[in-house]
Amino acid sequence: DDAQFARVALKHLQVAKKLGVKKIVVGECGHAHKALMVIADRVATGDLNIPRESCFTLLEDIVFSGKLKLDPSKNDFPVPLHDPCNVSRAMGIVQPQRRILKHIAPQFREMYPNGVTNYCCGGGSGFAIMTPNNFEDWRFNVSGRKKFEQILNAFSDCPSPDVKKYLCAPCSNCKGQIRDMFKYYNAWEKFGIKYDGLVELIVNCMEDIKQPFIEWDDVF
């Protein structure tokens, strides 16, 4: 409820003030973006109005600052981007993550529709963690089925499981839905599709990381 949310948000801000932080960076979580950057703005007043920034704009600054030595050839596999609803549709954060992917992933490709009109993962509003009774069947056969079709269409030129593919899904709730949906449809066995976030791709192409950070044999 709204009152409990306000208490939680204020606690975050009070702790940040106590620690003397200059800025709160919200990680790869759509709900956290909307909660702490948009809704909590109503209670973040006075000295609790601590600057809050999306990880995507910060990561863009880091990637293009030149401080990291990056080798995009280490990410030379097909990579489409899933746009989390709360990040893209609700907040309009669409381009920073794309500029990063175009810079570090030679085979980046779009899913259609995308950005503010992208399909939900099928586990929005916290549905991704709901499992009792037959709720999972509904998540995969009804709310997530269109998303899975969209993902497969993005790899229509390389459907074979021999071609390793990576779905970039920078949201913890979306990851939960996609993880379970990929298991349900045997996405790895049938199509060779792995999912994970944006940070993993950045780390994977860092020149200082000698061993691949993304492990294709460690899927779920």
Side-chain angles (χ1 to χ4, degrees):
D1 59 75
D2 291 345
Q4 184 63 15
F5 169 80
R7 295 188 189 102
V8 173
L10 285 171
K11 184 62 68 175
H12 275 280
L13 298 169
Q14 289 165 359
V15 170
K17 177 189 174 185
K18 182 178 180 180
L19 293 173
V21 303
K22 297 179 179 178
K23 180 191 298 181
I24 299 173
V25 177
V26 183
E28 293 188 13
C29 177
H31 289 103
H33 268 71
K34 180 180 177 182
L36 197 56
M37 295 180 65
V38 180
I39 303 176
D41 204 50
R42 302 172 186 176
V43 297
T45 59
D47 58 359
L48 292 182
N49 189 16
I50 297 169
R52 283 146 285 146
E53 181 180 2
S54 167
C55 64
F56 301 113
T57 53
L58 179 64
L59 288 171
E60 181 185 21
D61 290 343
I62 292 172
V63 165
F64 288 99
S65 69
K67 294 179 180 178
L68 298 179
K69 301 302 180 183
L70 303 174
D71 179 5
S73 67
K74 296 169 74 173
N75 286 335
D76 195 11
F77 39 81
V79 180
L81 172 67
H82 164 66
D83 290 284
C85 295
N86 281 320
V87 171
S88 59
R89 197 176 358 264
M91 299 180 63
I93 303 174
V94 174
Q95 293 306 322
Q97 55 270 46
R98 282 177 164 74
R99 285 191 282 266
I100 294 171
L101 285 171
K102 290 175 182 178
H103 185 68
I104 67 171
Q107 296 190 54
F108 170 70
R109 73 264 312 270
E110 291 282 12
M111 292 194 285
Y112 296 95
N114 55 59
V116 297
T117 60
N118 191 33
Y119 294 129
C120 173
C121 66
S125 298
F127 284 176
I129 61 173
M130 297 183 185
T131 58
N133 303 317
N134 66 339
F135 200 88
E136 285 187 319
D137 290 334
W138 183 85
R139 278 202 284 135
F140 308 139
N141 290 306
V142 180
S143 68
R145 187 173 181 177
K146 191 66 178 178
K147 186 73 215 183
F148 190 64
E149 179 190 42
Q150 186 190 33
I151 294 168
L152 292 182
N153 287 340
F155 298 120
S156 60
D157 61 328
C158 53
S160 170
D162 295 331
V163 178
K164 305 311 178 190
K165 298 172 276 288
Y166 186 104
L167 173 67
C168 181
C171 168
S172 57
N173 189 76
C174 296
K175 287 188 182 83
Q177 163 71 359
I178 291 168
R179 176 196 63 223
D180 296 343
M181 186 166 63
F182 276 16
K183 285 184 181 179
Y184 185 87
Y185 286 110
N186 296 314
W188 176 250
E189 293 81 359
K190 291 182 178 179
F191 306 105
I193 308 175
K194 177 185 175 71
Y195 77 94
D196 223 322
L198 177 62
V199 172
E200 288 81 358
L201 285 169
I202 296 173
V203 174
N204 193 62
C205 72
M206 290 173 61
E207 291 183 359
D208 291 342
I209 305 297
K210 303 306 180 184
Q211 298 296 323
F213 185 75
I214 296 175
E215 299 179 358
W216 296 102
D217 57 351
D218 181 22
V219 180
F220 299 116

